[in-house]
Amino acid sequence: QSALTQPASVSGAPGQTITISCTRTSSDIVTYNYVSWYQQHPGKAPKVLIYDVSSRPSGVSNRFSGSKSGNTASLTISGLQPEDEADYYCTSCTSCTRSSTTWVFGGGTKVTVL
Amino acid sequence: QVHLQESGPGLVMPSDTLSLTCDVSGDSIRSGKWWGWIRQPPGKGLEWIAYMYYSGSTYYNPSLKSRITMSVDTSKNQVSLNLRSVSAVDTAIYYCARKRDYEYYFDSWGQGTLVTVSS
């Protein structure tokens, strides 16, 4: 059982908005302020979409946004497009200090564009 | 632009040691970054393995810690991972990734290398 729980799958029609949740289920994650999200297409390496809960690296579409409420972080994809069909992973550091930290990943969510 | 390239044996015998290297280009190993390894069993999710700073600070996944050694070779601008006593559950794509200091996400990834543990 991962310390971060994601739904196995989420689907939506083109143009719709979908949300993927990532719930902290373990107290091993002391600080839940550094959630990041990765997109992975089949056969490709993961690519960061969101970091620090809601920040977006340059070059990432503003259709992707992140938020957090309590123990649940969320990735929202607006204006769903066929190329958004991929696996999405959330991750968080645990103690999140420069001198001592480890990382955990959620189990991943498969997004299907109908 | 940084480029990370993993290389490995492809096939490893059970109980042997798996050795992987990650060649870094477009950035210096000593440039204030952390360098990590993450793996993904076929058809499954991501698992963080380890990461380290060039000066030697190293952090390992507690579930793998007893079998892992990670190192850097600054002269070759290369990162390495050794995983001992492998079994079929260690079959995975192994990715090398970069994390900037004082940031908490992996901003660059290699393409990954598939390692199969089988006799």
Side-chain angles (χ1 to χ4, degrees):
Chain A
Q1 176 105 14
S2 175
L4 296 174
T5 299
Q6 300 180 233
S9 62
V10 173
S11 61
Q16 285 189 331
T17 296
I18 62 170
T19 298
I20 303 168
S21 61
C22 175
T23 301
R24 173 175 59 171
T25 58
S26 170
S27 58
D28 288 345
I29 302 175
V30 176
T31 303
Y32 202 41
N33 295 326
Y34 297 104
V35 180
S36 51
W37 290 89
Y38 298 84
Q39 176 192 59
Q40 186 181 35
H41 287 107
K44 301 295 186 181
K47 169 192 170 184
V48 62
L49 296 176
I50 297 289
Y51 66 95
D52 294 355
V53 175
S54 60
S55 296
R56 199 169 42 243
S58 61
V60 173
S61 172
N62 59 10
R63 298 187 300 104
F64 296 96
S65 61
S67 62
K68 182 173 72 76
S69 177
N71 285 324
T72 299
S74 298
L75 173 71
T76 298
I77 308 175
S78 58
L80 197 63
Q81 298 182 2
E83 58 264 34
D84 298 332
E85 187 160 294
D87 294 323
Y88 292 80
Y89 294 91
C90 62
T91 187
S92 175
C93 47
T94 52
S95 57
C96 301
T97 64
R98 183 182 185 276
S99 60
S100 175
T101 191
T102 57
W103 296 84
V104 290
F105 282 91
T109 298
K110 180 175 181 58
V111 168
T112 301
V113 181
L114 302 172
Chain B
Q1 176 141 353
V2 65
H3 180 72
L4 308 176
Q5 182 66 59
E6 307 89 344
S7 58
L11 180 65
V12 181
M13 297 285 285
S15 78
D16 280 358
T17 295
L18 163 63
S19 295
L20 298 169
T21 59
C22 174
D23 289 302
V24 179
S25 57
D27 194 6
S28 170
I29 289 282
R30 296 178 293 178
S31 62
K33 314 291 195 315
W34 294 73
W35 307 92
W37 290 96
I38 296 147
R39 70 180 182 179
Q40 184 173 36
K44 296 188 178 181
L46 300 167
E47 179 183 32
W48 173 74
I49 301 172
Y51 78 132
M52 74 179 297
Y53 199 64
Y54 79 93
S55 60
S57 297
T58 310
Y59 299 98
Y60 297 138
N61 185 322
S63 67
L64 299 169
K65 185 176 183 177
S66 64
R67 298 194 290 132
I68 297 172
T69 302
M70 187 174 173
S71 61
V72 297
D73 186 331
T74 55
S75 66
K76 295 181 179 179
N77 219 38
Q78 190 177 72
V79 179
S80 298
L81 178 74
N82 282 346
L83 178 62
R84 297 176 291 277
S85 303
V86 297
S87 67
V89 298
D90 296 309
T91 294
I93 298 171
Y94 286 77
Y95 294 100
C96 175
R98 182 185 77 172
K99 186 190 83 67
R100 297 177 184 271
D101 208 1
Y102 297 103
E103 295 188 0
Y104 297 96
Y105 67 102
F106 297 97
D107 68 337
S108 296
W109 296 61
Q111 66 183 22
T113 185
L114 175 63
V115 177
T116 301
V117 179
S118 175
S119 56

